[in-house]
Amino acid sequence: MNDDFSNFNMGCNIKMRVILLLSIHILFCSLTATAFQQADPGSIKVLQLISGDIIKRHYPDSLSTLLKEIDEKTSVSIDPNPIIINSFDDPALLRSAILYLNFDDRQDWNLTPKENNSLKKFLERGGFLYMDAGIKSSFLGEGNQSGQRHSFADWQVRPKVKEIFSQIFPKESFYPIPRDHEIFRIYQKGVPNPEDIPEAIRNFVTNEKWPQGTYSLMGLDINNRLAVVASPIVGMGWGKDETGNWITRISFRVRETAEGLSERLSSAAYSGNKFEAKREDGRFDIIYSQREAHPAWVEEPEGRWRIFRYYHGREINDYIHRFYTQLGVDIFVYGICN
Amino acid sequence: MKSFFALIGLLVTMVIWGFPSTSWCADKPNPKKIPQIKKNMTELETIMRAGKELTSENEELRLGAAKILGKYSQSMARIFLLKALDDKSTRVRRAAAISILEKIKYIDLRGYEKFLSKIDDPDAEIRRSVSSSILYVGGRLTRLKRDEMLRSAPAKGMLYRKINRIQYTLPASNKEKVEAAFFDADPIVRINIIKSFRSLGIKLNSDLLERLLKDENEKVIVQAMKLINSMPMNPAIIEQLKTIADKASVSVKQQLALSAADIRDKKIVPIIEKLSLNKDPMIQLISNISLALLIRPVDSKRVKQITRAFLDIEKDSPVLVTMMYKIGGIGDKSIDIYRELTKHKKERLRMIAWSMYLRFPNILNDSDKWMHGLSDHSLQVRQEIIRTINRIKDILPSHVLEEMIKSPYTDVRINVVRLLQKFPPKDLSQLAFKLLIDDQVQVRINILTLITKRRIGNWRRILQRTLQDSNKKLQDHAINLLIQTGTEGKKILESFALENPDLPVSLVLKKRLR
């Protein structure tokens, strides 16, 4: 139903992160299609689009951690080091089958005609594009910071995503990927064992938030094949540091109620604004936010009001990371196999 | 009357924190934003209503109130929530604990002490919430204590420097409760406490450690095992470790072998020797490294065992990364291990092996010992080698750099430019020239920047010529560099534009110089 909130966006050691980002910057400058040809033969290469300022790139460790996980845990042999491209017209795109991007790693989304053509060719000849943060609720504001810290299930792609693809494929449109789609169970099925998470939220998590281990994904078919997948930010739950600890801390956002709470919430003070968020059934929730783009409660279409509660803790953080990693593995394995 | 004082308290808080303002968080116009029609209550009214409902006999009303109060950072909301931690209903207390955690960054010292006192709540989920908060708040208790004292310092005539030496200590009642939580019925609470007790100033002792090592839950034992290097090895602990080495699962044994690498007490040697015979290759490897750290001199057989075992494990895991670094503590013989591990199949392990190997004296002076590493198929490995060189050595000899310039890898050639940063100007020209004719634009861009920054040779002429380069990116870069040099550069650009009015770049120049 809806997802989580990272309260520890970029890890605790900012200096270390700057050093890491600087080293990635060098990598970025030097990685070209030539580097693509130099990688290990035999393993699948994943491209990652990062345009603009590499220093401001989001979750720098996430994709490589996930690819490592895929390489180690599945029979898919995949190179854990993504090949960085900075535009869709990089020749490497047409020599690859899978492209990942975090939508906020690019500021200017006005594609050149050359980029449009290249992306079209890539998708038409069987390429798979995963647009992380391709869904971002309007209550998260115009900037990208909150959009990178809240994975909120809004069942519609960002307006810009819609615009880009309507220009390239005018006859196709994004649709909610159904819960019974193969993408959710190609490698792992269901949610991780929830025994460690608090009893009070276990039911919500397994039945309403991530039913059967599914998530709010929007898809676009090209030639009757699922070629583009967009999700709220998921990459925030992949990255591990050198010692194997999760880099981000993520909390559960849970919808809760109590007798009389609907009436109380309908008149309670809120310091932010209220926004609409599209539900899976096509109707709209009204989200009331606090400062810092913090969703506080929701007015649901059937008239019920529920409050967003945030659950923290090591076991919760670990559980969310395990789920996001499982979901990431499923999406990539699906992209590779299809 | 109570409400009146609460109202006054809230107003004072609002003056300190600032009144809530909708413009504070206003976003840019957004079509999805819904215009507000109904007039809602103020924060104060909402908090006071919820506070009142917390005294209701109706559990559901109290539950809703505890949930709503979590949305407000005002101190009055927190006061009500702290009170709700004493509610007779578990559901209400749980809701209050989660609400307090939602705004934990605003909590003051007294409020946190009250919250921490609930570490003995009958409900495990409340105890989990409270114990997990120590990790977030424990580290700032000393500061909160000092802040509190600073506020009252003028009245008490205390000196600031005295206050700055004060460390936070738990009140006796809380200390007793936290110590009891080491043996909480819930393993997650026990793990939370083992991970964070030090930030509360609680000291570990041998008896406590021994008891923790006997825990029924393996995850707790693994956490406790991480503490064994901070305690002397008394007979009871040794006995317990022997039992673990004999009977525990693979993951616990692995942690024991790993923790042994930080122990300098030879009493543990027989236990680790036994583990080194374990069937699990990881336990064998870790045990052998721990033994090499414990027993000196390290015999060649063990060095070979470690090298072989490392190369045979074709995995890359955090434990292996840790052990890779630990090898450095073995002494001189670690050079042989690191040299061999530069051939490891896993990229990250090769990176670490190279970074450690290159640190040994005289390795960098003999390029035959490391130059082949720059032909590694992994970009990361090549980058790591160059980063390490950069950190250790100021200047590499010319012939080594010339060798690097011949590399087929663009990243290596780009990094030669970095290595040239401190190179003597007189020897720089020759090498720079070779890089100026590199077939990769990025290499040329970097060397152009360097020679301009260091004013090497005919840098003006080189930049001037670059203005006519067929590559637009290079042209732009030369323009930027000349502009950055100030008046001199601008003059060069002006005269170039005058002398070459028909070139397209001259039009660009005229615009830029305007």
Side-chain angles (χ1 to χ4, degrees):
Chain A
M1 177 125 197
N2 70 307
D3 299 300
D4 309 298
F5 164 56
S6 161
N7 54 2
F8 196 67
N9 188 10
M10 299 296 275
C12 57
N13 195 330
I14 292 166
K15 272 187 189 170
M16 284 300 291
R17 199 137 302 270
V18 169
I19 292 166
L20 180 69
L21 288 170
L22 284 170
S23 58
I24 291 165
H25 180 60
I26 297 158
L27 182 151
F28 172 76
C29 294
S30 57
L31 264 176
T32 60
T34 324
F36 172 64
Q37 288 162 342
Q38 290 159 1
D40 259 340
S43 58
I44 292 164
K45 276 70 179 175
V46 171
L47 297 188
Q48 181 175 11
L49 180 95
I50 304 170
S51 303
D53 192 349
I54 194 87
I55 300 293
K56 291 180 182 165
R57 162 194 191 183
H58 298 90
Y59 305 112
D61 304 286
S62 65
L63 184 60
S64 52
T65 308
L66 185 80
L67 297 180
K68 205 170 282 171
E69 177 83 9
I70 298 171
D71 192 50
E72 285 175 7
K73 302 273 170 69
T74 73
S75 55
V76 176
S77 173
I78 198 161
D79 190 334
N81 302 305
I83 294 159
I84 314 295
I85 58 170
N86 64 9
S87 79
F88 289 110
D89 60 12
D90 191 308
L93 184 65
L94 296 176
R95 291 198 298 272
S96 185
I98 187 156
L99 169 64
Y100 167 85
L101 61 89
N102 179 325
F103 197 82
D104 290 321
D105 281 342
R106 177 171 177 149
Q107 301 306 314
D108 180 5
W109 274 101
N110 295 311
L111 304 191
T112 63
K114 208 175 160 193
E115 279 190 291
N116 272 337
N117 282 339
S118 180
L119 180 57
K120 187 168 191 272
K121 264 190 208 166
F122 167 73
L123 295 170
E124 281 178 340
R125 64 163 191 75
F128 180 81
L129 167 60
Y130 175 24
M131 300 184 93
D132 202 0
I135 295 175
K136 186 185 112 173
S137 295
S138 52
F139 69 83
L140 296 171
E142 297 291 321
N144 59 25
Q145 200 187 2
S146 299
Q148 287 293 316
R149 295 171 74 172
H150 290 261
S151 193
F152 193 93
D154 203 340
W155 291 82
Q156 54 193 341
V157 293
R158 296 185 190 215
K160 195 69 198 176
V161 173
K162 198 174 171 184
E163 184 192 315
I164 292 165
F165 285 91
S166 65
Q167 280 168 12
I168 305 174
F169 300 103
K171 289 181 184 165
E172 307 295 344
S173 54
F174 279 92
Y175 61 88
I177 296 180
R179 303 281 190 185
D180 59 357
H181 196 281
E182 196 191 353
I183 199 166
F184 296 117
R185 47 188 59 83
I186 191 156
Y187 174 63
Q188 289 158 113
K189 201 173 162 183
V191 287
N193 184 352
E195 68 178 8
D196 275 350
I197 62 172
E199 188 194 346
I201 59 171
R202 219 173 282 162
N203 186 44
F204 177 85
V205 170
T206 53
N207 294 325
E208 190 172 341
K209 190 179 185 72
W210 301 332
Q212 298 97 46
T214 61
Y215 208 69
S216 64
L217 300 183
M218 298 291 290
L220 184 84
D221 286 356
I222 312 289
N223 300 333
N224 299 318
R225 177 186 65 86
L226 177 59
V228 184
V229 168
S231 69
I233 181 70
V234 171
M236 72 175 175
W238 298 339
K240 282 182 182 172
D241 65 16
E242 283 288 299
T243 53
N245 295 312
W246 300 114
I247 290 173
T248 51
R249 283 190 209 148
I250 312 178
S251 320
F252 262 138
R253 184 191 307 109
V254 173
R255 293 181 186 212
E256 288 186 1
T257 189
E259 194 186 304
L261 193 60
S262 272
E263 297 82 69
R264 297 290 177 271
L265 289 174
S266 68
S267 58
Y270 60 98
S271 52
N273 290 305
K274 50 180 181 175
F275 297 86
E276 282 184 343
K278 197 171 184 182
R279 292 158 61 100
E280 191 179 3
D281 60 11
R283 294 186 294 168
F284 287 88
D285 281 337
I286 299 172
I287 308 292
Y288 289 73
S289 66
Q290 295 285 48
R291 292 168 194 164
E292 305 150 16
H294 210 87
W297 53 82
V298 53
E299 181 184 357
E300 294 171 340
E302 59 272 23
R304 180 173 59 165
W305 293 64
R306 287 198 282 175
I307 194 162
F308 290 116
R309 307 274 291 156
Y310 294 86
Y311 286 80
H312 312 261
R314 195 168 293 110
E315 68 286 1
I316 289 170
N317 183 47
D318 185 54
Y319 188 80
I320 298 171
H321 277 90
R322 278 192 286 140
F323 176 72
Y324 279 159
T325 300
Q326 167 185 321
L327 182 68
V329 171
D330 272 336
I331 295 172
F332 274 89
V333 172
Y334 179 87
I336 290 161
C337 299
N338 290 275
Chain B
M1 195 61 184
K2 263 186 187 175
S3 301
F4 172 74
F5 282 115
L7 180 66
I8 296 297
L10 183 63
L11 286 170
V12 170
T13 311
M14 286 172 92
V15 170
I16 295 166
W17 287 94
F19 284 86
S21 152
T22 45
S23 63
W24 191 82
C25 55
D27 292 311
K28 288 177 187 174
N30 188 317
K32 288 279 170 70
K33 201 186 288 176
I34 300 159
Q36 188 166 331
I37 303 161
K38 195 172 83 180
K39 178 86 179 81
N40 276 33
M41 297 171 93
T42 62
E43 276 199 17
L44 176 62
E45 287 164 344
T46 311
I47 292 168
M48 296 311 289
R49 180 181 67 183
K52 196 177 167 198
E53 284 172 354
L54 277 176
T55 61
S56 162
E57 277 303 305
N58 183 337
E59 185 195 23
E60 284 289 323
L61 265 190
R62 300 203 304 280
L63 182 65
K67 288 179 179 184
I68 284 186
L69 285 168
K71 298 299 167 198
Y72 304 101
S73 49
Q74 312 287 359
S75 60
M76 183 53 65
R78 219 164 26 254
I79 290 166
F80 287 133
L81 284 171
L82 288 166
K83 202 157 180 284
L85 288 173
D86 297 323
D87 198 284
K88 60 187 176 199
S89 155
T90 304
R91 294 169 70 213
V92 175
R93 294 201 309 279
R94 277 182 188 174
I98 296 297
S99 288
I100 288 170
L101 278 180
E102 193 170 335
K103 300 285 180 199
I104 195 81
K105 67 178 174 183
Y106 300 107
I107 206 160
D108 59 14
L109 186 63
R110 298 289 151 238
Y112 189 67
E113 284 178 346
K114 165 82 195 261
F115 187 57
L116 190 61
S117 73
K118 294 296 161 187
I119 202 157
D120 65 350
D121 191 281
D123 180 64
E125 287 185 12
I126 294 171
R127 298 200 304 276
R128 281 185 188 185
S129 296
V130 175
S131 59
S132 75
S133 74
I134 303 171
L135 204 69
Y136 303 103
V137 185
R140 57 188 173 96
L141 288 175
T142 292
R143 191 172 54 77
L144 287 174
K145 174 83 182 167
R146 287 176 188 170
D147 287 350
E148 189 186 66
M149 297 198 78
L150 275 172
R151 279 194 292 274
S152 59
K156 291 182 183 168
M158 281 184 83
L159 293 169
Y160 289 127
R161 66 168 185 273
K162 264 191 176 176
I163 293 172
N164 281 334
R165 276 190 226 123
I166 288 170
Q167 291 294 320
Y168 176 75
T169 47
L170 279 175
S173 59
N174 269 0
K175 190 170 180 245
E176 206 174 296
K177 287 178 182 181
V178 173
E179 283 173 347
F182 278 110
F183 309 103
D184 192 282
D186 182 72
I188 290 175
V189 175
R190 301 203 293 277
I191 291 171
N192 284 342
I193 294 293
I194 295 172
K195 283 192 167 186
S196 59
F197 71 94
R198 282 183 166 135
S199 66
L200 297 175
I202 290 177
K203 300 240 171 358
L204 183 71
N205 61 54
S206 302
D207 290 344
L208 178 60
L209 179 60
E210 188 199 334
R211 282 185 71 189
L212 294 175
L213 291 171
K214 286 180 178 166
D215 199 285
E216 62 188 21
N217 184 293
E218 287 209 330
K219 285 182 184 168
V220 177
I221 296 176
V222 167
Q223 280 309 318
M225 203 92 76
K226 292 177 185 172
L227 304 172
I228 59 175
N229 63 352
S230 55
M231 290 307 298
M233 292 284 107
N234 71 21
I237 292 175
I238 289 286
E239 211 46 49
Q240 190 50 35
L241 294 179
K242 267 185 198 165
T243 312
I244 290 170
D246 283 339
K247 295 176 185 166
S249 69
V250 169
S251 62
V252 180
K253 283 179 184 165
Q254 220 179 71
Q255 183 58 50
L256 172 56
L258 196 58
S259 299
D262 293 322
I263 295 172
R264 294 286 170 264
D265 192 329
K266 294 205 170 158
K267 286 199 279 292
I268 203 169
V269 169
I271 299 172
I272 307 303
E273 273 177 341
K274 197 169 180 188
L275 279 183
S276 71
L277 305 173
N278 194 285
K279 277 187 283 183
D280 182 85
M282 195 72 123
I283 295 177
Q284 264 183 38
L285 170 64
I286 301 170
S287 306
N288 271 314
I289 295 173
S290 294
L291 287 170
L293 290 163
L294 275 160
I295 307 168
R296 299 297 170 86
V298 183
D299 67 52
S300 307
K301 195 181 156 200
R302 200 176 305 280
V303 168
K304 279 183 189 162
Q305 273 176 333
I306 292 170
T307 311
R308 192 68 265 146
F310 236 121
L311 291 170
D312 284 349
I313 298 174
E314 293 179 0
K315 279 199 305 189
D316 166 9
S317 73
V319 172
L320 287 173
V321 169
T322 307
M323 294 324 288
M324 188 72 116
Y325 285 116
K326 296 264 182 217
I327 288 170
I330 292 174
D332 290 349
K333 295 218 170 148
S334 57
I335 190 170
D336 299 328
I337 305 177
Y338 283 130
R339 189 185 51 244
E340 289 305 305
L341 294 185
T342 60
K343 300 167 195 160
H344 200 282
K345 283 198 175 171
K346 286 293 169 187
E347 177 188 66
R348 185 159 60 144
L349 298 182
R350 289 205 304 283
M351 282 168 71
I352 299 169
W354 273 113
S355 75
M356 299 301 281
Y357 175 62
L358 291 171
R359 283 181 166 81
F360 284 92
N362 300 324
I363 297 292
L364 270 180
N365 293 336
D366 184 354
S367 62
D368 287 347
K369 289 183 174 163
W370 57 267
M371 185 62 84
H372 61 280
L374 293 176
S375 301
D376 194 291
H377 67 258
S378 157
L379 171 85
Q380 306 276 12
V381 175
R382 300 195 301 270
Q383 297 276 0
E384 184 59 40
I385 294 171
I386 287 170
R387 266 198 298 274
T388 310
I389 294 171
N390 239 335
R391 276 198 291 263
I392 301 171
K393 212 162 169 64
D394 273 355
I395 299 165
L396 285 174
S398 295
H399 72 274
V400 174
L401 291 169
E402 278 190 39
E403 198 62 33
M404 289 169 73
I405 290 172
K406 289 177 196 161
S407 169
Y409 294 110
T410 310
D411 55 282
V412 174
R413 303 198 303 279
I414 283 176
N415 276 295
V416 173
V417 181
R418 291 178 68 196
L419 293 168
L420 286 174
Q421 304 272 2
K422 294 173 193 164
F423 214 71
K426 64 182 173 60
D427 302 325
L428 183 60
S429 307
Q430 184 67 16
L431 293 165
F433 179 74
K434 290 183 178 169
L435 292 163
L436 279 169
I437 54 170
D438 197 283
D439 59 358
Q440 286 295 319
V441 173
Q442 195 58 50
V443 179
R444 278 144 66 197
I445 282 178
N446 288 16
I447 193 67
L448 270 179
T449 310
L450 180 73
I451 60 172
T452 309
K453 202 171 129 193
R454 295 191 56 191
R455 307 286 197 262
I456 300 297
N458 292 327
W459 63 275
R460 298 178 194 82
R461 208 159 156 211
I462 292 167
L463 287 177
Q464 213 172 355
R465 282 193 179 172
T466 311
L467 294 174
Q468 295 184 59
D469 197 287
S470 57
N471 187 293
K472 204 175 164 307
K473 213 171 161 187
L474 266 173
Q475 267 184 10
D476 285 348
H477 191 65
I479 295 170
N480 289 337
L481 287 172
L482 280 164
I483 289 173
Q484 281 163 22
T485 59
T487 324
E488 190 183 3
K490 283 179 187 161
K491 274 184 188 163
I492 294 172
L493 291 171
E494 278 163 2
S495 62
F496 180 89
L498 280 173
E499 285 163 22
N500 305 282
D502 302 331
L503 290 178
V505 69
S506 297
L507 286 173
V508 177
L509 280 178
K510 279 173 196 164
K511 273 187 196 166
R512 293 283 305 270
L513 292 169
R514 224 175 267 158

